[in-house]
Amino acid sequence: IQRPVISVYKQMVYHSRHNGGNAQCVCGCPLVPLKSSRYKGPAPSAASLGLDDEFMDLVDEAIRSFRWNILFKNFEVLGDADRVLVYLTLWIQKCLSVASQASGVDEATRSLEVLAASDLPGPGDSGFILNSFFKPGTPQDCQIAKACLKQLRQETAHRFLKILYPSGQLNKWWSQFSKKRFMNLTL
């Protein structure tokens, strides 16, 4: 008796919709538009480019794909936006870690706002764990890329806190991912 061959479905990570776009790139970091211009930085606002409210920016993509992508140990970068998606996935992981140690929504908000606004290592810095993902550039380009990543961190923390604490209590469906490590890396 010959048994049928069972093929195992190979699961794929979520890749960004913004790959292959015409956004300006600095050190492999695309300056794609964000829904809001709440925080200062080089990324343009969606409204300034005439994009509607249905526009899904990189922050939305990172939050939406986090619970799927966090389960993977490998991530094949298919474009410049994927580099930022990897960075934001690691940032959301850091947000979960900080929020899980906080005593409540107020302490988590304060901690994450301070952390997001701080000058963390970026492309070109020796302490940046994703230097192999991002492209080298001039010192000025590295500063622009760091400013873009800072703007993305701040916007992500702002939006993610609303999801993480929908009614003032830590959302257990999100907090269960606080101990997971994406690609065995942490920011």
Side-chain angles (χ1 to χ4, degrees), residues 110-153:
R110 276 193 306 276
S111 298
L112 287 175
E113 284 176 351
V114 167
L115 188 59
S118 63
D119 289 327
L120 299 178
D125 292 341
S126 61
F128 187 53
I129 62 166
L130 295 175
N131 264 336
S132 61
F133 278 86
F134 286 83
K135 299 174 183 172
T138 65
Q140 182 182 3
D141 287 346
C142 290
Q143 288 301 317
I144 294 170
K146 285 173 62 173
C148 181
L149 293 179
K150 180 178 181 178
Q151 183 182 13
L152 287 165
R153 281 194 314 269

mmCIF file of all heavy atoms in Angstrom, residues 110-153:
data_model
loop_
_atom_site.group_PDB
_atom_site.id
_atom_site.type_symbol
_atom_site.label_atom_id
_atom_site.label_comp_id
_atom_site.label_asym_id
_atom_site.label_seq_id
_atom_site.Cartn_x
_atom_site.Cartn_y
_atom_site.Cartn_z
ATOM 1 N N ARG A 110 4.173 56.845 30.594
ATOM 2 C CA ARG A 110 5.352 57.684 30.889
ATOM 3 C C ARG A 110 6.640 56.994 30.448
ATOM 4 O O ARG A 110 7.490 57.601 29.788
ATOM 5 C CB ARG A 110 5.416 58.003 32.381
ATOM 6 C CG ARG A 110 4.581 59.169 32.822
ATOM 7 C CD ARG A 110 4.931 59.611 34.237
ATOM 8 N NE ARG A 110 4.860 58.539 35.220
ATOM 9 C CZ ARG A 110 3.758 58.134 35.833
ATOM 10 N NH1 ARG A 110 2.617 58.710 35.557
ATOM 11 N NH2 ARG A 110 3.799 57.159 36.724
ATOM 12 N N SER A 111 6.773 55.729 30.800
ATOM 13 C CA SER A 111 7.998 54.990 30.469
ATOM 14 C C SER A 111 8.206 54.884 28.965
ATOM 15 O O SER A 111 9.311 55.092 28.460
ATOM 16 C CB SER A 111 7.953 53.582 31.064
ATOM 17 O OG SER A 111 7.886 53.627 32.450
ATOM 18 N N LEU A 112 7.134 54.569 28.247
ATOM 19 C CA LEU A 112 7.261 54.393 26.795
ATOM 20 C C LEU A 112 7.470 55.713 26.073
ATOM 21 O O LEU A 112 8.201 55.767 25.085
ATOM 22 C CB LEU A 112 6.051 53.652 26.239
ATOM 23 C CG LEU A 112 6.013 52.167 26.587
ATOM 24 C CD1 LEU A 112 4.717 51.533 26.092
ATOM 25 C CD2 LEU A 112 7.212 51.441 26.010
ATOM 26 N N GLU A 113 6.850 56.782 26.548
ATOM 27 C CA GLU A 113 7.061 58.092 25.915
ATOM 28 C C GLU A 113 8.508 58.544 26.078
ATOM 29 O O GLU A 113 9.113 59.057 25.147
ATOM 30 C CB GLU A 113 6.100 59.127 26.489
ATOM 31 C CG GLU A 113 4.687 58.973 25.966
ATOM 32 C CD GLU A 113 3.704 59.945 26.602
ATOM 33 O OE1 GLU A 113 4.069 60.642 27.578
ATOM 34 O OE2 GLU A 113 2.560 59.992 26.118
ATOM 35 N N VAL A 114 9.070 58.324 27.270
ATOM 36 C CA VAL A 114 10.473 58.698 27.518
ATOM 37 C C VAL A 114 11.404 57.833 26.668
ATOM 38 O O VAL A 114 12.340 58.339 26.040
ATOM 39 C CB VAL A 114 10.806 58.570 29.027
ATOM 40 C CG1 VAL A 114 12.308 58.651 29.263
ATOM 41 C CG2 VAL A 114 10.080 59.634 29.817
ATOM 42 N N LEU A 115 11.137 56.538 26.629
ATOM 43 C CA LEU A 115 11.978 55.621 25.859
ATOM 44 C C LEU A 115 11.902 55.914 24.361
ATOM 45 O O LEU A 115 12.916 55.915 23.659
ATOM 46 C CB LEU A 115 11.578 54.178 26.143
ATOM 47 C CG LEU A 115 12.466 53.080 25.577
ATOM 48 C CD1 LEU A 115 13.891 53.207 26.105
ATOM 49 C CD2 LEU A 115 11.899 51.715 25.926
ATOM 50 N N ALA A 116 10.699 56.186 23.856
ATOM 51 C CA ALA A 116 10.519 56.464 22.425
ATOM 52 C C ALA A 116 11.199 57.761 22.009
ATOM 53 O O ALA A 116 11.728 57.870 20.907
ATOM 54 C CB ALA A 116 9.036 56.519 22.076
ATOM 55 N N ALA A 117 11.207 58.756 22.909
ATOM 56 C CA ALA A 117 11.800 60.055 22.589
ATOM 57 C C ALA A 117 13.311 60.083 22.789
ATOM 58 O O ALA A 117 13.976 61.016 22.343
ATOM 59 C CB ALA A 117 11.147 61.141 23.425
ATOM 60 N N SER A 118 13.854 59.063 23.432
ATOM 61 C CA SER A 118 15.301 59.050 23.681
ATOM 62 C C SER A 118 16.066 58.728 22.399
ATOM 63 O O SER A 118 15.513 58.212 21.439
ATOM 64 C CB SER A 118 15.644 58.040 24.779
ATOM 65 O OG SER A 118 15.314 56.741 24.367
ATOM 66 N N ASP A 119 17.330 59.063 22.410
ATOM 67 C CA ASP A 119 18.182 58.818 21.241
ATOM 68 C C ASP A 119 18.763 57.412 21.326
ATOM 69 O O ASP A 119 19.848 57.214 21.882
ATOM 70 C CB ASP A 119 19.301 59.857 21.152
ATOM 71 C CG ASP A 119 18.781 61.223 20.758
ATOM 72 O OD1 ASP A 119 17.806 61.274 19.982
ATOM 73 O OD2 ASP A 119 19.336 62.240 21.222
ATOM 74 N N LEU A 120 18.052 56.453 20.782
ATOM 75 C CA LEU A 120 18.514 55.073 20.742
ATOM 76 C C LEU A 120 19.476 54.899 19.574
ATOM 77 O O LEU A 120 19.439 55.671 18.609
ATOM 78 C CB LEU A 120 17.324 54.118 20.598
ATOM 79 C CG LEU A 120 16.286 54.139 21.723
ATOM 80 C CD1 LEU A 120 15.146 53.188 21.409
ATOM 81 C CD2 LEU A 120 16.930 53.777 23.043
ATOM 82 N N PRO A 121 20.340 53.886 19.612
ATOM 83 C CA PRO A 121 21.242 53.650 18.479
ATOM 84 C C PRO A 121 20.450 53.417 17.187
ATOM 85 O O PRO A 121 19.367 52.827 17.199
ATOM 86 C CB PRO A 121 22.002 52.391 18.876
ATOM 87 C CG PRO A 121 21.874 52.306 20.352
ATOM 88 C CD PRO A 121 20.562 52.932 20.691
ATOM 89 N N GLY A 122 20.998 53.905 16.090
ATOM 90 C CA GLY A 122 20.356 53.758 14.792
ATOM 91 C C GLY A 122 21.358 53.333 13.741
ATOM 92 O O GLY A 122 22.508 53.001 14.059
ATOM 93 N N PRO A 123 20.963 53.333 12.480
ATOM 94 C CA PRO A 123 21.877 52.935 11.402
ATOM 95 C C PRO A 123 23.187 53.715 11.456
ATOM 96 O O PRO A 123 23.190 54.923 11.611
ATOM 97 C CB PRO A 123 21.088 53.272 10.133
ATOM 98 C CG PRO A 123 19.662 53.210 10.542
ATOM 99 C CD PRO A 123 19.638 53.701 11.965
ATOM 100 N N GLY A 124 24.268 52.979 11.381
ATOM 101 C CA GLY A 124 25.594 53.591 11.429
ATOM 102 C C GLY A 124 26.212 53.603 12.814
ATOM 103 O O GLY A 124 27.419 53.765 12.951
ATOM 104 N N ASP A 125 25.420 53.434 13.863
ATOM 105 C CA ASP A 125 25.950 53.398 15.233
ATOM 106 C C ASP A 125 26.448 51.997 15.552
ATOM 107 O O ASP A 125 25.866 51.003 15.115
ATOM 108 C CB ASP A 125 24.874 53.800 16.249
ATOM 109 C CG ASP A 125 24.476 55.254 16.137
ATOM 110 O OD1 ASP A 125 25.249 56.042 15.548
ATOM 111 O OD2 ASP A 125 23.390 55.608 16.639
ATOM 112 N N SER A 126 27.480 51.913 16.361
ATOM 113 C CA SER A 126 28.063 50.605 16.668
ATOM 114 C C SER A 126 27.131 49.739 17.514
ATOM 115 O O SER A 126 27.177 48.525 17.445
ATOM 116 C CB SER A 126 29.406 50.771 17.375
ATOM 117 O OG SER A 126 29.218 51.467 18.586
ATOM 118 N N GLY A 127 26.260 50.335 18.321
ATOM 119 C CA GLY A 127 25.373 49.573 19.190
ATOM 120 C C GLY A 127 24.037 49.199 18.566
ATOM 121 O O GLY A 127 23.178 48.637 19.238
ATOM 122 N N PHE A 128 23.849 49.501 17.301
ATOM 123 C CA PHE A 128 22.575 49.221 16.625
ATOM 124 C C PHE A 128 22.545 47.759 16.199
ATOM 125 O O PHE A 128 23.386 47.325 15.408
ATOM 126 C CB PHE A 128 22.402 50.147 15.420
ATOM 127 C CG PHE A 128 21.069 50.071 14.753
ATOM 128 C CD1 PHE A 128 19.893 50.218 15.469
ATOM 129 C CD2 PHE A 128 20.974 49.879 13.380
ATOM 130 C CE1 PHE A 128 18.663 50.169 14.852
ATOM 131 C CE2 PHE A 128 19.751 49.819 12.747
ATOM 132 C CZ PHE A 128 18.588 49.973 13.486
ATOM 133 N N ILE A 129 21.605 46.985 16.716
ATOM 134 C CA ILE A 129 21.591 45.542 16.467
ATOM 135 C C ILE A 129 21.164 45.176 15.046
ATOM 136 O O ILE A 129 21.389 44.055 14.620
ATOM 137 C CB ILE A 129 20.703 44.796 17.470
ATOM 138 C CG1 ILE A 129 19.254 45.257 17.354
ATOM 139 C CG2 ILE A 129 21.206 44.964 18.874
ATOM 140 C CD1 ILE A 129 18.288 44.355 18.049
ATOM 141 N N LEU A 130 20.584 46.119 14.310
ATOM 142 C CA LEU A 130 20.132 45.823 12.944
ATOM 143 C C LEU A 130 21.031 46.447 11.877
ATOM 144 O O LEU A 130 20.595 46.662 10.756
ATOM 145 C CB LEU A 130 18.681 46.299 12.753
ATOM 146 C CG LEU A 130 17.632 45.577 13.590
ATOM 147 C CD1 LEU A 130 16.260 46.219 13.390
ATOM 148 C CD2 LEU A 130 17.586 44.108 13.244
ATOM 149 N N ASN A 131 22.288 46.724 12.212
ATOM 150 C CA ASN A 131 23.198 47.309 11.226
ATOM 151 C C ASN A 131 23.349 46.424 9.993
ATOM 152 O O ASN A 131 23.551 46.921 8.893
ATOM 153 C CB ASN A 131 24.563 47.594 11.840
ATOM 154 C CG ASN A 131 24.689 49.023 12.292
ATOM 155 O OD1 ASN A 131 24.003 49.915 11.801
ATOM 156 N ND2 ASN A 131 25.558 49.251 13.256
ATOM 157 N N SER A 132 23.236 45.114 10.163
ATOM 158 C CA SER A 132 23.357 44.222 9.013
ATOM 159 C C SER A 132 22.143 44.312 8.094
ATOM 160 O O SER A 132 22.226 43.961 6.923
ATOM 161 C CB SER A 132 23.559 42.778 9.479
ATOM 162 O OG SER A 132 22.445 42.351 10.232
ATOM 163 N N PHE A 133 21.007 44.794 8.600
ATOM 164 C CA PHE A 133 19.793 44.944 7.786
ATOM 165 C C PHE A 133 19.785 46.270 7.027
ATOM 166 O O PHE A 133 19.318 46.346 5.911
ATOM 167 C CB PHE A 133 18.534 44.906 8.670
ATOM 168 C CG PHE A 133 18.077 43.534 9.012
ATOM 169 C CD1 PHE A 133 18.591 42.867 10.099
ATOM 170 C CD2 PHE A 133 17.111 42.906 8.245
ATOM 171 C CE1 PHE A 133 18.174 41.599 10.424
ATOM 172 C CE2 PHE A 133 16.683 41.638 8.565
ATOM 173 C CZ PHE A 133 17.213 40.981 9.655
ATOM 174 N N PHE A 134 20.260 47.324 7.679
ATOM 175 C CA PHE A 134 20.218 48.649 7.082
ATOM 176 C C PHE A 134 21.484 48.918 6.278
ATOM 177 O O PHE A 134 22.525 48.323 6.527
ATOM 178 C CB PHE A 134 20.028 49.711 8.168
ATOM 179 C CG PHE A 134 18.631 49.739 8.716
ATOM 180 C CD1 PHE A 134 18.244 48.862 9.709
ATOM 181 C CD2 PHE A 134 17.692 50.628 8.222
ATOM 182 C CE1 PHE A 134 16.957 48.873 10.208
ATOM 183 C CE2 PHE A 134 16.402 50.647 8.711
ATOM 184 C CZ PHE A 134 16.027 49.766 9.700
ATOM 185 N N LYS A 135 21.383 49.815 5.327
ATOM 186 C CA LYS A 135 22.497 50.124 4.438
ATOM 187 C C LYS A 135 23.351 51.241 5.035
ATOM 188 O O LYS A 135 22.834 52.126 5.704
ATOM 189 C CB LYS A 135 21.951 50.560 3.072
ATOM 190 C CG LYS A 135 21.129 49.491 2.391
ATOM 191 C CD LYS A 135 20.496 50.014 1.121
ATOM 192 C CE LYS A 135 19.615 48.947 0.490
ATOM 193 N NZ LYS A 135 18.847 49.450 -0.634
ATOM 194 N N PRO A 136 24.662 51.207 4.774
ATOM 195 C CA PRO A 136 25.515 52.293 5.266
ATOM 196 C C PRO A 136 25.238 53.585 4.494
ATOM 197 O O PRO A 136 24.745 53.561 3.371
ATOM 198 C CB PRO A 136 26.935 51.777 5.005
ATOM 199 C CG PRO A 136 26.792 50.761 3.925
ATOM 200 C CD PRO A 136 25.409 50.182 4.053
ATOM 201 N N GLY A 137 25.540 54.686 5.116
ATOM 202 C CA GLY A 137 25.334 55.976 4.469
ATOM 203 C C GLY A 137 26.255 57.019 5.060
ATOM 204 O O GLY A 137 27.071 56.735 5.939
ATOM 205 N N THR A 138 26.095 58.226 4.595
ATOM 206 C CA THR A 138 26.884 59.333 5.127
ATOM 207 C C THR A 138 26.410 59.647 6.540
ATOM 208 O O THR A 138 25.298 59.262 6.928
ATOM 209 C CB THR A 138 26.710 60.586 4.243
ATOM 210 O OG1 THR A 138 25.337 61.015 4.324
ATOM 211 C CG2 THR A 138 27.073 60.298 2.789
ATOM 212 N N PRO A 139 27.209 60.347 7.328
ATOM 213 C CA PRO A 139 26.750 60.720 8.678
ATOM 214 C C PRO A 139 25.431 61.498 8.671
ATOM 215 O O PRO A 139 24.589 61.307 9.538
ATOM 216 C CB PRO A 139 27.900 61.570 9.225
ATOM 217 C CG PRO A 139 29.107 61.070 8.501
ATOM 218 C CD PRO A 139 28.621 60.707 7.128
ATOM 219 N N GLN A 140 25.245 62.355 7.662
ATOM 220 C CA GLN A 140 23.985 63.109 7.563
ATOM 221 C C GLN A 140 22.812 62.163 7.275
ATOM 222 O O GLN A 140 21.742 62.304 7.866
ATOM 223 C CB GLN A 140 24.096 64.169 6.472
ATOM 224 C CG GLN A 140 22.841 65.019 6.344
ATOM 225 C CD GLN A 140 22.932 66.032 5.219
ATOM 226 O OE1 GLN A 140 23.903 66.075 4.480
ATOM 227 N NE2 GLN A 140 21.901 66.856 5.089
ATOM 228 N N ASP A 141 23.015 61.195 6.378
ATOM 229 C CA ASP A 141 21.967 60.215 6.080
ATOM 230 C C ASP A 141 21.623 59.381 7.312
ATOM 231 O O ASP A 141 20.455 59.075 7.562
ATOM 232 C CB ASP A 141 22.395 59.285 4.938
ATOM 233 C CG ASP A 141 22.378 59.962 3.578
ATOM 234 O OD1 ASP A 141 21.794 61.055 3.465
ATOM 235 O OD2 ASP A 141 22.950 59.382 2.636
ATOM 236 N N CYS A 142 22.649 59.018 8.083
ATOM 237 C CA CYS A 142 22.413 58.236 9.301
ATOM 238 C C CYS A 142 21.581 59.034 10.302
ATOM 239 O O CYS A 142 20.708 58.469 10.972
ATOM 240 C CB CYS A 142 23.734 57.801 9.924
ATOM 241 S SG CYS A 142 24.615 56.556 8.955
ATOM 242 N N GLN A 143 21.830 60.339 10.398
ATOM 243 C CA GLN A 143 21.045 61.179 11.311
ATOM 244 C C GLN A 143 19.586 61.277 10.859
ATOM 245 O O GLN A 143 18.671 61.246 11.683
ATOM 246 C CB GLN A 143 21.668 62.588 11.410
ATOM 247 C CG GLN A 143 22.956 62.635 12.188
ATOM 248 C CD GLN A 143 22.787 62.132 13.613
ATOM 249 O OE1 GLN A 143 21.830 62.445 14.303
ATOM 250 N NE2 GLN A 143 23.725 61.296 14.045
ATOM 251 N N ILE A 144 19.361 61.378 9.553
ATOM 252 C CA ILE A 144 17.994 61.423 9.031
ATOM 253 C C ILE A 144 17.285 60.094 9.294
ATOM 254 O O ILE A 144 16.122 60.072 9.709
ATOM 255 C CB ILE A 144 17.983 61.768 7.521
ATOM 256 C CG1 ILE A 144 18.482 63.189 7.299
ATOM 257 C CG2 ILE A 144 16.601 61.590 6.918
ATOM 258 C CD1 ILE A 144 18.750 63.547 5.850
ATOM 259 N N ALA A 145 17.994 58.981 9.088
ATOM 260 C CA ALA A 145 17.402 57.659 9.340
ATOM 261 C C ALA A 145 17.074 57.496 10.821
ATOM 262 O O ALA A 145 16.004 56.972 11.172
ATOM 263 C CB ALA A 145 18.354 56.558 8.875
ATOM 264 N N LYS A 146 17.962 57.950 11.701
ATOM 265 C CA LYS A 146 17.693 57.868 13.140
ATOM 266 C C LYS A 146 16.493 58.727 13.523
ATOM 267 O O LYS A 146 15.673 58.323 14.356
ATOM 268 C CB LYS A 146 18.927 58.292 13.932
ATOM 269 C CG LYS A 146 20.029 57.247 13.951
ATOM 270 C CD LYS A 146 21.290 57.745 14.583
ATOM 271 C CE LYS A 146 21.119 58.117 16.024
ATOM 272 N NZ LYS A 146 22.400 58.449 16.680
ATOM 273 N N ALA A 147 16.363 59.898 12.909
ATOM 274 C CA ALA A 147 15.217 60.772 13.186
ATOM 275 C C ALA A 147 13.918 60.123 12.704
ATOM 276 O O ALA A 147 12.883 60.214 13.372
ATOM 277 C CB ALA A 147 15.412 62.134 12.522
ATOM 278 N N CYS A 148 13.992 59.442 11.566
ATOM 279 C CA CYS A 148 12.817 58.736 11.045
ATOM 280 C C CYS A 148 12.409 57.601 11.979
ATOM 281 O O CYS A 148 11.228 57.428 12.294
ATOM 282 C CB CYS A 148 13.102 58.210 9.642
ATOM 283 S SG CYS A 148 11.699 57.336 8.906
ATOM 284 N N LEU A 149 13.377 56.818 12.442
ATOM 285 C CA LEU A 149 13.084 55.713 13.359
ATOM 286 C C LEU A 149 12.547 56.237 14.691
ATOM 287 O O LEU A 149 11.654 55.625 15.290
ATOM 288 C CB LEU A 149 14.322 54.845 13.569
ATOM 289 C CG LEU A 149 14.805 54.059 12.340
ATOM 290 C CD1 LEU A 149 16.058 53.264 12.674
ATOM 291 C CD2 LEU A 149 13.716 53.146 11.802
ATOM 292 N N LYS A 150 13.049 57.378 15.140
ATOM 293 C CA LYS A 150 12.538 57.981 16.369
ATOM 294 C C LYS A 150 11.084 58.411 16.189
ATOM 295 O O LYS A 150 10.237 58.157 17.054
ATOM 296 C CB LYS A 150 13.398 59.189 16.756
ATOM 297 C CG LYS A 150 12.953 59.891 18.015
ATOM 298 C CD LYS A 150 13.901 61.043 18.329
ATOM 299 C CE LYS A 150 13.501 61.764 19.591
ATOM 300 N NZ LYS A 150 14.451 62.843 19.912
ATOM 301 N N GLN A 151 10.779 59.041 15.063
ATOM 302 C CA GLN A 151 9.401 59.444 14.760
ATOM 303 C C GLN A 151 8.485 58.222 14.699
ATOM 304 O O GLN A 151 7.377 58.236 15.239
ATOM 305 C CB GLN A 151 9.371 60.205 13.435
ATOM 306 C CG GLN A 151 8.017 60.729 13.039
ATOM 307 C CD GLN A 151 8.037 61.426 11.682
ATOM 308 O OE1 GLN A 151 9.002 61.311 10.915
ATOM 309 N NE2 GLN A 151 6.970 62.147 11.384
ATOM 310 N N LEU A 152 8.961 57.147 14.088
ATOM 311 C CA LEU A 152 8.172 55.914 14.008
ATOM 312 C C LEU A 152 7.977 55.285 15.389
ATOM 313 O O LEU A 152 6.891 54.777 15.705
ATOM 314 C CB LEU A 152 8.844 54.919 13.061
ATOM 315 C CG LEU A 152 8.743 55.248 11.574
ATOM 316 C CD1 LEU A 152 9.730 54.413 10.776
ATOM 317 C CD2 LEU A 152 7.329 55.028 11.078
ATOM 318 N N ARG A 153 9.005 55.305 16.234
ATOM 319 C CA ARG A 153 8.877 54.779 17.599
ATOM 320 C C ARG A 153 7.822 55.541 18.379
ATOM 321 O O ARG A 153 6.974 54.952 19.058
ATOM 322 C CB ARG A 153 10.220 54.886 18.352
ATOM 323 C CG ARG A 153 11.218 53.843 18.038
ATOM 324 C CD ARG A 153 12.351 53.825 19.069
ATOM 325 N NE ARG A 153 12.906 55.122 19.429
ATOM 326 C CZ ARG A 153 13.946 55.704 18.827
ATOM 327 N NH1 ARG A 153 14.546 55.103 17.823
ATOM 328 N NH2 ARG A 153 14.392 56.871 19.246
#
